[in-house]
Every structure is written in C-alpha cells, then in structure tokens.
Amino acid sequence: SVLNLPEPVEVVECIDISSFQGSDAVGAISVARDGALAKAEYRSFHIRGRSESDIEMMEEVVKRRVKQLTDTTEPRLILVDGGRAHLARILPLIPDTETNLFPAAIAKARPAQGLPQDRIYLPHNREAVPIPPDSRLMLFFQSLRDEAHRFGIAFHRKKRQKRVMNSPLLEIPGIGKHRRLELVRYFGSFKGVQEATIGQLTQVKGISTAMAHTIHEYFNNQEESP
C-alpha cells in the first residue's frame, strides 16, 4: 500500500553492480520472500558489455533478469540500486505485459546534496516515496540492498582473484605468485603492469632492475608480435 502497487508482492529483489574501475564487473541480485531473505534464490551475472557506465551495466543485468522471469506469475518488486536515472533507463526493459513485475529504485543518501536519507523512487515520480527512514519498511529495503552489495562484492572478488591467478604474468621467468600479486596490487590491474615503465616497476617490492627490464621487454615483445 505504501508503494501504491496494484497487488501485494510476495517477492522483492534488489539488483546491484560491483566493479573496480570498470574491471571484473558483475551484477548481483538478493531476494526476499515473504519478508525473509531467500539466499537460495540469489543470482549473479558476469557483465558482458565493455562499458564502465554503472547505468549501462544495470541495463544489461535487468534485461537478462527479466528474460529469466518471463514465465513467472508471482508479483515481484524489482528494486535497483540507484536513483531516478537508473529507474528511467530500465523501464523500457520491462514489457507492459509483464504486469507482475514492478520496478523501483533505492537511492543512497547524499548529505552534501541536501539528501540525508536513503530514498525509494517509483516510475514517473520525481519525488521519493514518503517512507520514514527508521520504519520497518525502509530498514527492510536497506537490508536487501546491503545484501545485494555484499553478495556482489564477494562475487566480484572471486572473479578478480581468478583472473589474477590465471595472469599471463606467470609466463614471465622469475615471476611467481608472490611477485605477481605484488605487481597487481601496486598497479591496480594487469593492464597497469603492462603499461608501466621500467622505473615504475622497480618501485614494486621484490622487483629488481633486472626483473623490471624482463617484465618490460616481455610486454614490448608481445605488442610487436604479429
């Protein structure tokens, strides 16, 4: 009734995006059924697109999620982690015939912008739904959002760790797991290591000048190969 939905919803889910500077981006969905977390129904997605835009990545996940829910008949509130802009972009992805899927957005507090509390937005409404910040309903939405974030971060870290563990850096003579981790940690990504100068490489713990030359020459040779 607070959200003015045409019928009660038994299932509420929240979609969140997790990435690090646009890399290893993933989408995560937390689900609550009858007011309780339904962890067996959580879902995660590898982002296929190359965009670093949070909204575009959200569009991809929502589109794929709606496709998964094509045959569902139970009323479901789809809550995206974002503001009015996120909500406006995903609306076209939910067909009018899918009347059992109700989109909404949860926006984080922005004290610097005069928005001290989290807010819930509904389609075509500029103003947030007037929900008391300490109400059970808002606390429920926030906990579901936090669950999606937690689940997404865990999946993102697992994906990133797998990529790092399979890094081409291991192909370089003298680079073991420890040095590889030090390099990626220092530069933030494999690409950062690849683009580093010899001087920058020597700043990494355990990387001698000779090793820096080896790493630099390896990537230069890779780029010059046909």
Side-chain angles (χ1 to χ4, degrees):
S1 61
V2 172
L3 300 184
N4 197 30
L5 299 178
E7 57 184 312
V9 292
E10 298 178 359
V11 182
V12 181
E13 60 182 53
C14 184
I15 304 177
D16 186 33
I17 302 297
S18 295
S19 68
F20 177 73
Q21 297 180 346
S23 66
D24 301 311
V26 300
I29 300 178
S30 60
V31 181
R33 184 176 289 276
D34 294 328
L37 296 177
K39 295 187 177 182
E41 298 184 48
Y42 287 15
R43 294 293 181 269
S44 56
F45 299 83
H46 295 283
I47 300 297
R48 297 170 180 168
R50 296 183 178 276
S51 173
E52 295 185 8
S53 166
D54 186 77
I55 291 182
E56 290 181 3
M57 288 189 284
M58 182 67 77
E59 283 183 301
E60 177 185 329
V61 174
V62 170
K63 183 176 181 179
R64 292 164 62 184
R65 182 56 171 169
V66 169
K67 187 175 181 180
Q68 289 182 345
L69 299 173
T70 299
D71 298 327
T72 188
T73 57
E74 56 189 355
R76 183 179 298 249
L77 180 67
I78 299 179
L79 192 65
V80 296
D81 184 14
R84 291 191 302 266
H86 288 74
L87 186 56
R89 290 283 287 269
I90 71 162
L91 281 181
L93 304 177
I94 301 178
D96 293 337
T97 55
E98 300 291 348
T99 55
N100 58 313
L101 301 181
F102 306 110
I106 178 169
K108 294 182 179 67
R110 305 290 183 189
Q113 300 175 18
L115 301 168
Q117 308 292 342
D118 290 354
R119 303 166 313 286
I120 301 295
Y121 290 102
L122 295 177
H124 313 301
N125 288 345
R126 181 170 180 79
E127 298 300 324
V129 180
I131 304 177
D134 57 350
S135 66
R136 292 181 62 189
L137 182 59
M138 181 58 82
L139 293 175
F140 166 73
F141 286 142
Q142 290 172 329
S143 66
L144 194 61
R145 187 264 315 279
D146 293 344
E147 265 294 278
H149 185 69
R150 179 197 63 77
F151 187 59
I153 287 294
F155 183 51
H156 162 73
R157 287 175 176 169
K158 183 177 180 181
K159 179 179 180 179
R160 188 180 182 195
Q161 183 179 30
K162 183 177 180 180
R163 175 177 58 80
V164 172
M165 294 301 289
N166 294 326
S167 171
L169 288 171
L170 292 177
E171 298 177 5
I172 303 175
I175 297 294
K177 293 182 178 179
H178 179 72
R179 283 189 174 129
R180 177 203 57 215
L181 290 174
E182 288 291 339
L183 285 163
V184 174
R185 183 179 295 114
Y186 185 88
F187 292 104
S189 67
F190 170 72
K191 184 178 181 181
V193 179
Q194 190 176 20
E195 297 176 348
T197 65
I198 292 175
Q200 291 172 330
L201 290 167
T202 58
Q203 299 302 308
V204 181
K205 181 180 179 181
I207 302 299
S208 64
T209 301
M211 179 60 67
H213 277 279
T214 299
I215 296 171
H216 190 262
E217 290 174 3
Y218 172 82
F219 288 123
N220 284 342
N221 290 337
Q222 290 288 322
E223 293 173 357
E224 294 171 359
S225 299

